[in-house]
Every structure is written in structure tokens, then in C-alpha cells.
Amino acid sequence: MRAERVFGLVWLAVSAAMAWVALDLKAPISYEPVGPRAVPLLYAGLMAACALTLVLRPHAVAFHWPHGKVVHHIVVSAGLLLGYAFAFEWLGFPLATALLALLLGRVFGGSWRTCASGGVAMGIVLYLFFDRLLDVVLPLGLLQPLFGG
Amino acid sequence: MDTLNYLLQGFGVAFTPLNLALAFAGAFIGTIVGLLPGLGPINGVAILMPIAFAMGLPPESALILLAAVYMGCEYGGRISSILINVPGDAGAIMTAIDGYPMARKGLAGVALSISAWSSFVGGVVATIGLVLFAPLLANWALAFGPAEYFALMVFAIACLGGMVSDRPVKTLLAVLIGLSLACVGVDSNSGVYRFTFNDVHLADGVQFIVVVIGFFSISEILLMLEESSIGQSIIKTTGRKLFNRQEMKETNPSTLASSIGGFFIGVLPGAGATISSAIAYMVTKRVYDKDGSFGKGDIRGVSAPEAANNASATGSFVPMLCLGVPGSGTTTVMMGALALYNITPGPMLFQNQPEIVWGLIASLFVGNVVLLVLNIPLVGFFAKMLTVPNATLVPGIAAASAVGVYSVHATTFDLVLSVAFGVLGYLLRKLQFPMSSLILGFALGDMIEQNLRRALSLSNGEVGILWHSPVSLTLWIGAVAMLVGPPLLRRLRRGRAALAVG
């Protein structure tokens, strides 16, 4: 119940921000009755109404936030995924994927050995499979000078 | 006889070696994705869609691959329901109720084979339905103007609001978040940049695949951290592998009825496999449960929801192909796939690109046969997939998702954005917002706004045009009924129950 209320308040703010940005959307020359501004404003208004309903009449949702250790895992995993996104081009797909598989695998309870060997295998096999076999171009990153030619 | 001709032409497309191979590959991948708890057809189709595009497959081949994955998921979900009592995807929830007890009685092989068979019946019956009804509906929809389309999309959203979640407010908010995300980018009518914050990466909007991967796959990874599904004991399939004639005879009527019912439920926009399998189970139980055997391993409790589940998955192609308004989360993603090829589904597709429509329909027949053939002998292999630990599986999902996102525009920006959506999606899913509604909103966003503005341009800003024609008026009434009806019924039932108690 409290969670719905908090979310409703946050989303009210988001809707307000969206409406505030949308107010500035004006077409230089207007030749249609409904310009670029109306629909976003309508959505923002409707979202605010929905959010307000959640604030005023929150239901008891059968859900619970995870316990301390799981929260820790979730934050770490989200951070790892974000790091993976940034490292994808820079380190290149094979290296970044091997690192991700090692670290994320550890969070999911794998042993160092299986995660490390699995990560190296995954980085190489998936790269060969997608880039070489299926023609989906993936970045080599730091490995570029070694294999890219 | 036009239809028959087109269908033969479609088989010509489906039987080319490339397309046959894709149907096989799709069916195989789909079954695995479907049986892994947490991964459903949307994840499978979303990850493969950009890859199929990047591989340079022609549109009909890409669609055949994705459809085979979709069908395969519906087949695969039942395996984990029966063997570990954890449904592999949402459509297979009902299958676990009787499938798992059957497996514990030593009838796992029978449960698996009868559900493969009823999945097949459901898929084929619904594909026949698709052949019969889709051209009619497409013809009728040709006369739709922007006002009718606008009303139709509101109707589709209302269907979701009334049925998907217990709180329509949350469904609506989810749809609105999707619609708002669709506003990002350059407005094609006026050239105004909306919500791009002067970032070049957002100029042509948020990529569909980024939204889908973020809200479905990345958020799923975070959700998986909460489950300790490691160390699931898988029931060994011993004894008979195949159902016998007696069992088939016993299930035939309910399988057939569930297939037909499931198809029509699938046609309704918004109502997907989950609802149809639930209804099929309830109805079958009410009709056949004379001695309380349901819930303890009744074979009809396994076959009926599986038939309905597969039939409705196929049925959800009808609104997507004929109207351009998808009937389920997965067909929404497929519409995104077609958009990559600059193809807009809808009535015109039947006239302009019949090879795509009929090739897809024919490949649904082929796919169902392939799946039946794959599923009965290979079930042991598929069951082994359930023993892959999360520590290997999850990084694999993350890497494949990233490849999907990266293959569209090859930017770090898209990857980062999808992770951000994943975190938001995790929070929304914890609060029980339905993600399929969000994605439908995002997919319909552009069309809904374009049709609204076009309609109002036609009438010079006079709002009445939106409900002027009988078709749009009917759709509006339907939309209101869908929103008001289910909660009202629930309240009535509760009132009656209270009366009975008091």
C-alpha cells in the first residue's frame, strides 16, 4: 500500500515534468487543428490522473520488497549490466561478455571456476556464432588489433 | 477459391529450403525459450527479431522464423509445468495444475505427449480459423478511416484494461507510459523534436527493440535474482511415452472445444494465451469433473488448457495481420519486426504483399507439424535444458539481449537506455504493472496519434467525427463495456456471494 502511494507521487512528478516540457512544443507553421503539443499533454494529464488515483486509493498489493541480501544482489547486477553496456564497444564483445559472465555468474551463485571457463567460452562462441556465422556485426574493441586485421 | 489459391502460393513460400530450415530452427529455439521459467515468447521473439533483420533475411522469412519461435514457446511452456511444477511461460500456468500430479503418478510421458498432441490440435484448428476469417476481416477493415482506426485502438486498449490486471488503473498507466515513450523523437507532421533533449540518439525516437529488451529481458534478469529455483528436482519420464487410444478418446471433445474457444479469445485484442487457457481449464473442469479428479492429475486438465493456449496464440495473429492492431504482447513485437522492414500490417497487406501473409499462414501449419515431430521424441533433451544453472543461463540471456539491441543501430546509447528501462521495468513489475500493456501502448503510440490527428484534420477540429460512423460508435461502446463490465460483474458476484452467506 505504501509502495503504490510512493510510486504514485513519483509518477505525478514525472507527469508534471512531461507536461512542462510539452508546453513548449509548438510548430513554427501550423496547418492542422491538432499540433505536436496536444497529444503529449493529453497523455501527461491522463497519467497524472492515474497516478493520483494510486496516491489517494492505494490497494494492498501482495508483494514485498526483497530482503537485504537480494537487494544487494539486484543493485550489483544492475550495475554490472550497466557496466556491460558501457564496455560493449570499448572492450569489445568477447572480452566484455566473458567479464560479465564471470561476474554476473558469481552473483547467481556459480563457482569461480565454472563462471570463468563458461565466460571465456561464451565470449568466443557467441562472437563466432553471431559475427562470423550470422553476419551480425559485433565490436572487437581492444581485441581489434589482434584479430580485426 | 481465391483463398485456396493464395494458400497454395503460401505453401510455395513456406516450403523453400531456407524457410523450412528457419521454421525448424525457430521451433527448436522457441521450445527451449518457452520451457525456461521466466523466459516467454516475447523474450524469444524480441531477441531474435533484430538478429533476423541484421542477418538480412527477407521479411517473410524473418516472420516465419519469429512465428515458429512463438509457436515453439507455447509448446515448450508445458514441459516445465509438467516436470517441475513451474510454468515455463504465462500460458502454461493452468497446465501445471493437473500436469504435475500426473507426472508424479508416473505418467509424465503420457502428460507430455498428450499435451504436445493437444497443442498441435489447437494450433492447427486456429490456423484453419485464420485462413477462414482473416481475409473476411481484412476486406471489411479496408473501409476503415482514421476515426475508425482510432476507435479500434482505444477498444484494444480498453480490452487490456478490463482483462489483464485486477486494477485497470495500473493497466492504463502502463499503456500511457508506453504511449508517452512513443512520443519521443521528431513529430512527422510538424517536424518538431519532442522530448529529445537535443540528443541526436533520440531524434528518430526510442527504438522498439530497446524498449522490449529493457522492459522484458533486463527486468527479468533482476527478477530472477529473487527466485531460488536452483536445485529443482525434475521428475524422470519413466514408463509409457505415448498416450493410448482410450486417453485420446477421452480428451478429444474438450481439446476440440478448447481449440475453437481459444482461437476466438485470441482474436480479441489484448486477451492472450493466459486468459484463454484459464477459461478452457475452468470450463473443462466444470463439464467433466464429476468425481473430483481435476487437480489430482486428470488428463483432460492437461490437454484442454494446452489446446486453448496454442489456439489463442495463433488467433492473436488475426487482428495483427488484418487490422494492424496486435492481439497479444508477442504479436506486438512481431509488428515491430515488420516495422523494421517498413511494412505496416493491416488490410492493405493482404492485397499488396500476399506472399508475406500467406507464407506466414502456411508456415504456421508447417511449424505445428515440425513442433509435434520435434516434441515427442526430443522431450528428454528439452527436459535437460532445465538443469542449466542460472549462473550460466543469465549471462547468456544478457549477452544475447545486448546483441539484439546493438544490431539495430550499433550505439552504446541504446545499450545503456535498455538497462535503464530494465531497472524501471523491474520496479513496475514489482508493483504489478502489466508489461504487455506498456509495450502495446508503445507499439500503437504513433498510429493512435496519427489517426487521431488525421481524423481531426478531416473534420477541421470537430471532435464528433471520432464517433460519427456506426463502426466507430460500436467500438466506443465496446470499449466502455470492456472497461466497466468486468469490475461490475465482479462486484455483482461478490454482492451475491455476500447475500448467500448472510
Side-chain angles (χ1 to χ4, degrees):
Chain A
M1 178 162 150
R2 242 188 69 221
E4 280 201 349
R5 195 162 267 174
V6 171
F7 179 82
L9 283 173
V10 171
W11 215 259
L12 262 181
V14 172
S15 322
M18 178 176 165
W20 187 70
V21 176
L23 275 178
D24 270 346
L25 299 172
K26 280 181 211 130
I29 321 147
S30 155
Y31 53 91
E32 51 173 7
V34 182
R37 189 170 64 170
V39 168
L41 274 180
L42 176 73
Y43 293 159
L46 287 172
M47 279 207 293
C50 288
L52 200 63
T53 315
L54 288 180
V55 173
L56 296 179
R57 298 184 53 193
H59 281 203
V61 193
F63 99 113
H64 29 260
W65 292 109
H67 301 295
K69 202 175 160 201
V70 180
V71 172
H72 180 74
H73 281 172
I74 287 172
V75 172
V76 170
S77 300
L80 284 174
L81 289 168
L82 197 64
Y84 181 55
F86 278 113
F88 199 84
E89 282 194 313
W90 170 59
L91 286 179
F93 179 81
L95 270 184
T97 304
L99 266 179
L100 176 84
L102 171 66
L103 298 172
L104 195 60
R106 288 286 299 155
V107 178
F108 274 89
S111 70
W112 278 109
R113 252 186 65 191
T114 47
C115 290
S117 53
V120 171
M122 207 179 286
I124 297 169
V125 172
L126 287 182
Y127 179 79
L128 292 177
F129 178 70
F130 285 120
D131 190 281
R132 296 294 143 96
L133 190 69
L134 297 186
D135 271 340
V136 178
V137 182
L138 293 173
L140 270 174
L142 292 182
L143 299 179
Q144 183 72 31
L146 288 176
F147 300 101
Chain B
M1 280 300 92
D2 258 6
T3 305
L4 209 58
N5 263 334
Y6 279 127
L7 191 60
L8 282 178
Q9 238 177 339
F11 274 107
V13 175
F15 276 127
T16 57
L18 172 71
N19 291 346
L20 263 182
L22 286 172
F24 253 99
F28 190 76
I29 298 171
T31 309
I32 292 174
V33 171
L35 72 88
L36 294 171
L39 289 187
I42 296 192
N43 304 83
V45 173
I47 293 173
L48 278 176
M49 163 185 126
I51 294 171
F53 183 66
M55 279 167 66
L57 292 179
E60 66 275 9
S61 302
L63 208 55
I64 286 170
L65 173 71
L66 298 182
V69 171
Y70 187 16
M71 301 282 103
C73 286
E74 304 298 339
Y75 274 77
R78 75 189 211 293
I79 299 176
S80 33
S81 283
I82 291 169
L83 292 181
I84 59 172
N85 203 19
V86 176
D89 65 357
I93 294 170
M94 288 314 199
T95 315
I97 301 177
D98 275 290
Y100 186 63
M102 262 187 94
R104 292 191 53 176
K105 282 196 275 184
L107 293 171
V110 176
L112 285 167
S113 57
I114 195 78
S115 54
W117 170 249
S118 60
S119 295
F120 175 76
V121 173
V124 170
V125 165
T127 312
I128 294 171
L130 185 60
V131 171
L132 294 178
F133 291 109
L136 293 178
L137 191 60
N139 253 336
W140 177 64
L142 272 177
F144 276 26
E148 281 81 10
Y149 263 111
F150 180 70
L152 177 68
M153 282 180 268
V154 173
F155 174 71
I157 289 170
C159 281
L160 272 180
M163 283 190 278
V164 167
S165 111
D166 50 335
R167 285 206 79 188
V169 179
K170 285 190 176 171
T171 313
L172 283 185
L173 188 48
V175 171
L176 284 164
I177 294 173
L179 288 169
S180 305
L181 278 173
C183 287
V184 175
V186 64
D187 170 41
S188 52
N189 290 21
S190 61
V192 172
Y193 285 88
R194 301 195 293 192
F195 307 106
T196 59
F197 307 102
N198 291 326
D199 195 313
V200 131
H201 297 293
L202 287 174
D204 62 347
V206 181
Q207 291 304 306
F208 185 77
I209 194 70
V210 173
V211 177
V212 182
I213 294 279
F215 281 106
F216 282 93
S217 294
I218 308 284
S219 69
E220 188 65 51
I221 290 174
L222 298 178
L223 280 173
M224 280 167 107
L225 282 164
E226 289 177 32
E227 300 152 10
S228 49
S229 62
I230 313 151
Q232 282 289 352
S233 57
I234 296 170
I235 295 184
K236 290 240 164 58
T237 48
T238 49
R240 266 193 304 141
K241 282 224 153 58
L242 263 180
F243 52 90
N244 56 32
R245 197 173 289 172
Q246 173 59 32
E247 282 157 342
M248 188 168 159
K249 224 166 146 188
E250 205 179 340
T251 55
N252 268 341
S254 57
T255 301
L256 211 60
S258 305
S259 305
I260 296 169
F263 170 72
F264 284 105
I265 295 171
V267 170
L268 275 181
T274 323
I275 296 167
S276 69
S277 60
I279 292 177
Y281 185 81
M282 302 296 185
V283 171
T284 311
K285 186 177 169 186
R286 189 161 291 177
V287 175
Y288 292 103
D289 192 13
K290 302 280 192 297
D291 46 3
S293 59
F294 273 68
K296 301 194 190 99
D298 193 300
I299 194 164
R300 289 161 300 201
V302 180
S303 59
E306 273 308 307
N309 167 14
N310 284 271
S312 81
T314 307
S316 65
F317 278 106
V318 173
M320 178 196 113
L321 286 174
C322 304
L323 307 173
V325 175
S328 67
T330 313
T331 42
T332 312
V333 181
M334 286 198 201
M335 253 181 66
L338 287 173
L340 282 178
Y341 289 98
N342 279 326
I343 294 170
T344 322
M348 296 306 284
L349 196 62
F350 277 79
Q351 298 191 335
N352 298 345
Q353 279 157 313
E355 73 280 3
I356 291 180
V357 178
W358 292 101
L360 172 69
I361 293 175
S363 75
L364 290 177
F365 281 115
V366 177
N368 273 301
V369 175
V370 168
L371 278 161
L372 186 66
V373 171
L374 275 181
N375 257 281
I376 289 184
L378 284 185
V379 82
F381 168 80
F382 286 128
K384 278 226 177 63
M385 295 301 298
L386 286 169
T387 57
V388 175
N390 275 351
T392 313
L393 182 65
V394 171
I397 297 168
S401 303
V403 171
V405 168
Y406 190 78
S407 63
V408 180
H409 270 181
T411 58
T412 300
F413 179 87
D414 280 353
L415 289 168
V416 174
L417 193 60
S418 72
V419 175
F421 283 150
V423 174
L424 176 62
Y426 168 76
L427 293 173
L428 289 173
R429 287 171 77 169
K430 284 300 284 181
L431 288 160
Q432 296 173 356
F433 283 88
M435 287 300 103
S436 56
S437 314
L438 190 151
I439 206 70
L440 186 73
F442 183 72
L444 292 184
D446 193 43
M447 275 199 293
I448 236 179
E449 182 175 359
Q450 287 304 322
N451 280 300
L452 174 66
R453 283 162 76 172
R454 217 171 290 153
L456 290 176
S457 289
L458 286 175
S459 71
N460 257 325
E462 195 254 317
V463 191
I465 189 172
L466 295 178
W467 49 82
H468 203 69
S469 79
V471 172
S472 47
L473 189 64
T474 315
L475 286 167
W476 280 106
I477 294 171
V480 173
M482 275 297 175
L483 274 183
V484 182
L488 208 67
L489 275 178
R490 235 172 279 151
R491 197 161 296 175
L492 270 178
R493 208 174 297 154
R494 218 175 294 150
R496 212 176 292 155
L499 269 180
V501 169

